């Protein structure tokens, strides 16, 4: 006897991996709405999405890297260093901020390449390598900038990451970048060989190698993508604020990892979801924005994030076990 | 395959989802309930009526040493108030670039005192340590939250400008404090760091050790924190004054992560002084490095042998001045930066958006002659 149509639909809905995090995000939004109705106004939601972009643009590539079984702790320093390089080049040797931004993004790729080579060729755990590069790139940011904040005149460069007004509402262009990044990495992970190889490398590296997967190349590419997008976020923030400081991004690394974990990425590799990471980023942005709206402030943000990361990790583990036991 | 395993899978999944929702709801709901701002109270003022008798005269006759004024007297009645004029319960945002910086402890006390005085509520926002993008996001959210007014320190010259413009366009008044930026804000409560640095440099040149004035050829050690723009401007001004007078000036640049760490800064300063024992001047540019220099002066028994100065008020610095290890500090008066920023927001709104002002929180030297008064003030002791 065939199952009724509605139960087929329900089964399909329940099989959506990201359903729990989506429901949690909606629940969090609802509670902040109860705390301050402004939370769901279009203007505020646009700010939530902007704040989500500040994490998501790094969390999504980080998710792919985590799925392939590696860490990158240096993203916060790369985020600070890349716009400073762009700005200093602009002021000293090449008075075109667009070209200097592209050059500095290429340098970001090189930073990722360094992380990848040290990890896969030298054999040092990525945690150690990227912790070292976190300090190194952070120091470079201070040296290149002289420790000083860097500003640029507001020009057409503002349109790269600034605000545009649609129907009287300001929308940060970063949101469009976030949407595009999510689509891109979803396609990479779900539809391309590289994504498939990333998943295989993270779940069982030896088996992947035996099946002909070039695991080293996979990891190096993922390191480069992570650094590239960390640098891109720095450039977008430079565009939006017309300023950058060498000490920004101190919490970015762990917020990006938190968003990925909340979204269902396994820290041991081999499992995860780009859509889940995107929703995790939106959840973090909602929490940060909502806490300000209810007057709680920054101190509570880390506490809430910590609690939700642990809860999400436990839930994901249980769900994975339940799915695995019924395969 | 029987139906049983699928039912169990579904039950498990429902259970896990329910657990996720309940857990998240409990965490967020409890936080929302616990963190909701308390209701404000308004104060009442009662005054009594008085009458004043005033004499007026159509003529004034002056003869010799006597002046006679004659005419009918007029009584001017006074109105009686039993309560103060009613005001809305304003809600302000106070956004600072370092909520955990000890310098802002008196400032936060000033905010709370002003809240109680004017019957308003002020939410304290901002990152724990200097993080401009995070602080800009806080300002953006404060504008969206439609606070009645915003006071915000602006440690970057340009990063806050578009958000300030957005706030002003939305009818939300914005004042800055502690660190200023050239934008559309209504007023600034704080100091001019270059003026402070010049004053410090001149004070150093007016100082002497064992009767010998500080002057050309002497070595000075200055600390600088470039990521905090006001500290950087102070250091630049001091260096300029001292180099102009022929002193040899070396400076230690402190990064953002080390800047609040008194112990780490003390290690750097001690290393420098032990390598350069002829150093005559040691001057900080902020709270932590000034405290560190006092600590080093005490540890190396340099009281009376080196001129140690700096900025800001903290119990540590005031204690070091009293003990003779620090010669002076320039009081940035953080309490006023907190109190006056709330006061000006309140006055601006109460005056139908016409009263706005800057306030210079003074370049006051606190030294052994007046430190006792500052030590007695409760809001300088955290």
């Amino acid at each position: 006897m065939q199952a009724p149509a509605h139960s087929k639909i329900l089964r399909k809905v329940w099989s959506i991996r990201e359903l729990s995090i989506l429901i949690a995000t909606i629940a969090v939004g609802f509670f902040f709405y109860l705390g301050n109705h402004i939370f769901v106004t279009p203007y505020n939601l646009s700010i939530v999405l902007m704040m989500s972009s500040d994490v998501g643009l790094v969390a999504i590539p980080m998710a792919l890297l985590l799925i392939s079984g590696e860490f990158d702790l240096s993203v916060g320093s790369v985020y600070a260093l890349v716009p400073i390089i762009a700005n200093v080049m602009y002021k000293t040797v090449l008075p075109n901020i667009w070209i200097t931004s592209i050059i500095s993004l290429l340098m970001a790729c090189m930073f990722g390449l360094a992380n990848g080579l040290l990890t896969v060729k030298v054999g040092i755990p990525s945690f150690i390598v990227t912790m070292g590069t976190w300090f190194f790139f952070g120091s470079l940011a201070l040296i290149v900038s002289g420790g000083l904040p860097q500003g640029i005149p507001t020009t057409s460069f503002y349109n790269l990451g600034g605000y545009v007004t649609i129907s009287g509402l300001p929308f940060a262009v970063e949101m469009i970048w976030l949407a595009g990044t999510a689509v891109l990495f979803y396609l990479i992970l779900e539809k391309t060989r590289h994504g498939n190889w990333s998943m295989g490398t993270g779940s069982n590296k030896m088996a992947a190698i035996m099946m002909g997967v070039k695991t080293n190349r996979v990891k190096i590419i993922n390191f480069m993508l992570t650094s590239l997008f960390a640098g891109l976020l720095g450039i977008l923030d430079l565009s939006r604020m017309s300023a950058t400081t060498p000490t920004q991004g101190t919490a970015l690394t762990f917020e990006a990892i938190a968003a990925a974990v909340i979204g269902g990425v396994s820290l041991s590799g081999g499992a995860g979801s780009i859509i889940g990471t995107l929703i995790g980023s939106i959840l973090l942005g909602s929490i940060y924005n909502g806490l300000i709206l209810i007057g709680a402030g920054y101190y509570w943000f880390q506490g809430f994030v910590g609690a939700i990361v642990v809860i999400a990790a436990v839930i994901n583990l249980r769900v994975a076990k339940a799915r695995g036991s019924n395969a | 395959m029987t139906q049983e395993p699928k039912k169990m899978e579904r039950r498990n999944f429902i259970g896990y989802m329910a657990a996720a929702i309940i857990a998240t709801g409990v965490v967020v709901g409890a936080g929302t309930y616990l963190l909701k701002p308390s209701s404000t109270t308004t104060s009442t003022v009662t005054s009594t009526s008085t009458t004043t008798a005033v004499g007026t005269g159509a003529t004034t006759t002056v003869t010799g040493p006597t002046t006679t004024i004659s005419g009918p007297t007029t009584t001017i009645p006074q109105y009686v108030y039993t309560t103060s004029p009613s005001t809305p319960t304003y809600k302000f945002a106070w956004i600072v670039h370092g909520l955990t910086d000890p310098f802002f402890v008196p400032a936060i006390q000033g905010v709370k005192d002003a809240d109680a005085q004017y019957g308003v509520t002020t939410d304290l926002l901002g990152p724990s340590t200097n993080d401009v993008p995070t602080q800009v996001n806080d300002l953006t959210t404060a504008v969206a939250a439609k606070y009645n007014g915003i006071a915000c320190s602006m440690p970057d010259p340009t990063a806050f400008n578009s958000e300030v413009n957005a706030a002003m366009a939305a009818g939300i008044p914005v004042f800055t404090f502690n660190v200023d930026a050239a934008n559309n804000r209504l007023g600034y409560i704080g100091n001019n760091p270059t003026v402070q640095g010049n004053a410090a440099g001149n004070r150093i040149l007016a100082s002497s050790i064992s009767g010998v004035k500080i002057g050309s050829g002497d070595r000075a050690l200055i600390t600088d924190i470039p990521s905090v723009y006001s500290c950087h401007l102070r250091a630049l001004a001091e260096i300029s004054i001292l180099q102009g007078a022929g002193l040899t000036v070396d400076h230690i640049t402190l990064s953002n992560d080390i800047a609040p760490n008194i112990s780490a800064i003390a290690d750097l300063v001690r290393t420098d002084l032990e390598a350069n024992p002829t150093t005559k001047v040691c001057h900080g540019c902020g709270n932590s490095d000034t405290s560190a220099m006092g600590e080093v002066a005490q540890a190396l028994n340099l009281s009376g042998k080196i001129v140690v100065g700096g900025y800001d008020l903290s119990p540590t610095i005031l204690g070091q001045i009293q003990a003779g290890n620090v010669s002076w500090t320039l009081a940035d008066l953080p309490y006023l930066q907190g109190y006056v920023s709330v006061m000006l927001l309140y006055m601006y709104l109460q005056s139908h958006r016409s009263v706005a002002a800057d306030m210079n929180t003074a370049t006051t030297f606190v030294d052994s002659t007046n430190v006792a008064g500052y030590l007695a003030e409760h809001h300088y002791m955290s």
Side-chain angles (χ1 to χ4, degrees):
Chain A
M1 188 165 87
Q2 272 198 329
H6 71 272
S7 79
K8 273 190 192 170
I9 293 169
L10 281 174
R11 253 205 308 275
K12 209 164 187 176
V13 169
W14 282 323
S15 70
I16 298 173
R17 187 173 23 184
E18 300 87 4
L19 187 62
S20 58
I21 182 63
L22 180 63
I23 292 173
T25 303
I26 294 170
V28 164
F30 178 70
F31 280 109
F32 282 127
Y33 164 74
L34 292 179
N36 190 334
H37 289 359
I38 285 175
F39 184 80
V40 295
T41 57
Y43 180 52
N44 190 67
L45 288 176
S46 75
I47 292 171
V48 170
L49 288 174
M50 181 201 71
M51 288 178 162
S52 307
S53 310
D54 278 346
V55 176
L57 276 168
V58 178
I60 287 172
M62 177 76 83
L64 186 64
L65 181 65
L66 288 169
I67 288 169
S68 65
E70 299 296 350
F71 273 92
D72 188 349
L73 300 179
S74 67
V75 289
S77 296
V78 173
Y79 162 72
L81 176 59
V82 166
I84 284 173
I85 292 173
N87 198 37
V88 169
M89 276 198 291
Y90 164 73
K91 286 179 174 167
T92 54
V93 296
L94 192 59
N96 185 318
I97 191 66
W98 297 94
I99 296 176
T100 60
S101 295
I102 291 170
I103 294 172
S104 60
L105 286 174
L106 290 173
M107 292 179 76
C109 290
M110 293 298 109
F111 299 152
L113 178 64
N115 284 334
L117 288 174
L118 285 168
T119 301
V120 303
K121 295 296 185 189
V122 180
I124 307 170
S126 58
F127 187 90
I128 304 294
V129 168
T130 57
M131 186 170 67
T133 52
W134 176 22
F135 286 120
F136 184 72
F137 296 145
S139 176
L140 271 184
L142 289 168
I143 292 168
V144 172
S145 67
L148 292 167
Q150 306 278 313
I152 57 168
T154 305
T155 62
S156 60
F157 188 62
Y158 178 77
N159 297 328
L160 183 69
Y163 288 94
V164 292
T165 304
I166 302 172
S167 301
L169 288 173
F171 284 92
V173 178
E174 274 184 28
M175 291 157 42
I176 300 172
W177 284 94
L178 177 65
T181 301
V183 169
L184 173 67
F185 277 83
Y186 175 81
L187 292 173
I188 289 174
L189 183 63
E190 303 289 340
K191 306 292 181 190
T192 67
R193 186 170 65 177
H194 179 79
N196 189 259
W197 283 3
S198 294
M199 198 71 83
T201 301
S203 61
N204 191 328
K205 185 181 170 186
M206 284 299 124
I209 291 172
M210 282 188 222
M211 294 184 67
V213 172
K214 295 180 175 55
T215 57
N216 287 349
R217 186 194 295 181
V218 165
K219 291 185 179 186
I220 289 173
I221 289 173
N222 290 343
F223 272 113
M224 291 174 72
L225 286 172
T226 305
S227 289
L228 171 64
F229 277 81
L232 175 64
L233 179 63
I235 296 292
L236 292 176
D237 277 353
L238 172 66
S239 161
R240 177 164 61 96
M241 292 183 288
S242 300
T244 186
T245 57
T247 55
Q248 64 192 31
T250 46
L252 179 63
T253 300
F254 293 104
E255 286 174 7
I257 294 173
V261 169
I262 290 170
V265 173
S266 168
L267 286 177
S268 54
S273 155
I274 297 301
I275 302 298
T277 303
L278 174 65
I279 298 172
S281 304
I282 294 173
L283 176 61
L284 290 189
S286 301
I287 292 172
Y288 191 78
N289 175 271
L291 287 173
I292 293 174
L293 290 182
I294 65 171
Y298 183 73
Y299 291 155
W300 288 95
F301 174 65
Q302 291 179 318
F304 273 99
V305 170
I308 289 173
V309 162
V310 172
I311 292 169
V314 169
I315 298 294
N316 288 332
L317 189 64
R318 297 288 187 183
V319 170
K321 272 188 181 169
R323 284 210 179 102
S325 67
N326 289 294
Chain B
M1 186 186 237
T2 64
Q3 282 285 19
E4 200 57 38
K6 286 185 183 174
K7 278 187 184 172
M8 285 181 65
E9 179 191 343
R10 198 176 301 156
R11 216 173 20 241
N12 281 343
F13 198 72
I14 291 171
Y16 295 135
M17 274 179 30
I21 295 168
I22 291 167
T24 307
V26 166
V27 170
V28 176
T32 306
Y33 176 76
L34 290 170
L35 298 172
K36 241 175 127 76
S38 55
S39 57
T40 57
T41 57
T42 53
S43 59
T44 59
V45 173
T46 303
S47 61
T48 56
S49 65
T50 58
T51 58
T52 307
V54 176
T56 59
T59 59
T60 303
T61 305
V62 178
T63 54
T66 307
T67 303
T68 304
I69 302 172
S70 61
T73 58
T74 304
T75 301
I76 301 175
Q78 299 281 354
Y79 291 98
V80 176
Y81 291 102
T82 55
T83 60
S84 63
S86 64
T87 61
T89 47
Y90 296 126
K91 194 170 177 195
F92 300 139
W94 196 81
I95 309 172
V96 69
H97 58 272
L99 267 178
T100 57
D101 190 327
F103 172 82
F104 291 112
V105 169
I108 290 170
Q109 184 61 49
V111 169
K112 290 178 181 172
D113 287 353
D115 280 0
Q117 178 75 32
Y118 299 108
V120 301
T121 304
T122 303
D123 289 338
L124 304 174
L125 305 175
S128 309
T129 56
N130 191 12
D131 185 337
V132 169
T134 299
Q135 194 183 355
V136 170
N137 284 345
D138 286 349
L139 179 56
T140 307
T141 302
V143 174
K146 295 189 169 67
Y147 282 96
N148 297 117
I150 297 172
C152 181
S153 65
M154 298 189 187
D156 186 281
T158 58
F160 297 85
N161 291 0
S162 63
E163 305 305 332
V164 170
N165 294 340
M168 297 295 293
I172 301 172
V174 179
F175 286 85
T176 61
F177 63 90
N178 186 257
V179 191
D180 196 15
N183 52 41
N184 288 339
R185 88 291 183 274
L186 290 170
Y188 169 58
I189 305 104
N191 275 300
N192 183 319
T194 302
V195 169
Q196 287 183 308
N198 289 339
N202 288 323
R203 175 101 185 213
I204 290 170
L205 294 177
S207 304
S208 53
I209 299 173
S210 300
V212 179
K213 243 181 159 194
I214 303 287
S216 179
D218 287 335
R219 182 183 186 265
L221 177 67
I222 307 290
T223 50
D224 182 11
I225 309 173
S227 60
V228 182
Y229 203 52
S230 56
C231 292
H232 181 60
L233 290 176
R234 288 168 177 169
L236 287 180
E238 286 163 31
I239 292 169
S240 174
I241 294 277
L242 296 178
Q243 284 180 337
L247 274 74
T248 303
V249 183
D250 289 322
H251 68 282
I252 296 176
T253 304
L254 303 172
S255 60
N256 206 44
D257 56 333
I258 204 175
N261 190 332
I262 296 174
S263 169
I265 299 170
D267 288 341
L268 292 173
V269 171
R270 181 181 308 185
T271 304
D272 183 278
L273 291 182
E274 285 177 344
N276 298 279
T278 59
T279 303
K280 292 287 190 290
V281 177
C282 214
H283 206 276
C285 65
N287 188 327
S288 302
D289 48 339
T290 305
S291 301
M293 287 175 176
E295 188 181 302
V296 172
Q298 183 176 5
L300 298 181
N301 200 22
L302 295 175
S303 177
K305 300 170 191 166
I306 192 170
V307 172
V308 177
Y311 295 84
D312 301 341
L313 297 171
S314 75
T316 305
I317 295 173
L318 294 174
Q320 292 288 6
I321 292 173
Q322 197 174 48
N325 297 310
V326 174
S327 305
W328 65 75
T329 184
L330 275 105
D332 215 8
L333 300 182
Y335 180 85
L336 283 188
Q337 292 180 17
Y339 187 96
V340 173
S341 55
V342 174
M343 183 190 82
L344 285 178
L345 283 169
Y346 177 81
M347 293 299 177
Y348 180 77
L349 294 172
Q350 284 299 95
S351 65
H352 303 287
R353 297 171 180 267
S354 59
V355 171
D358 293 325
M359 173 174 274
N360 186 339
T361 52
T363 304
T364 307
F365 283 97
V366 178
D367 53 27
S368 58
T369 62
N370 59 359
V371 67
Y374 285 86
L375 280 167
E377 289 287 330
H378 76 277
H379 46 251
Y380 292 109
M381 306 296 286
S382 59

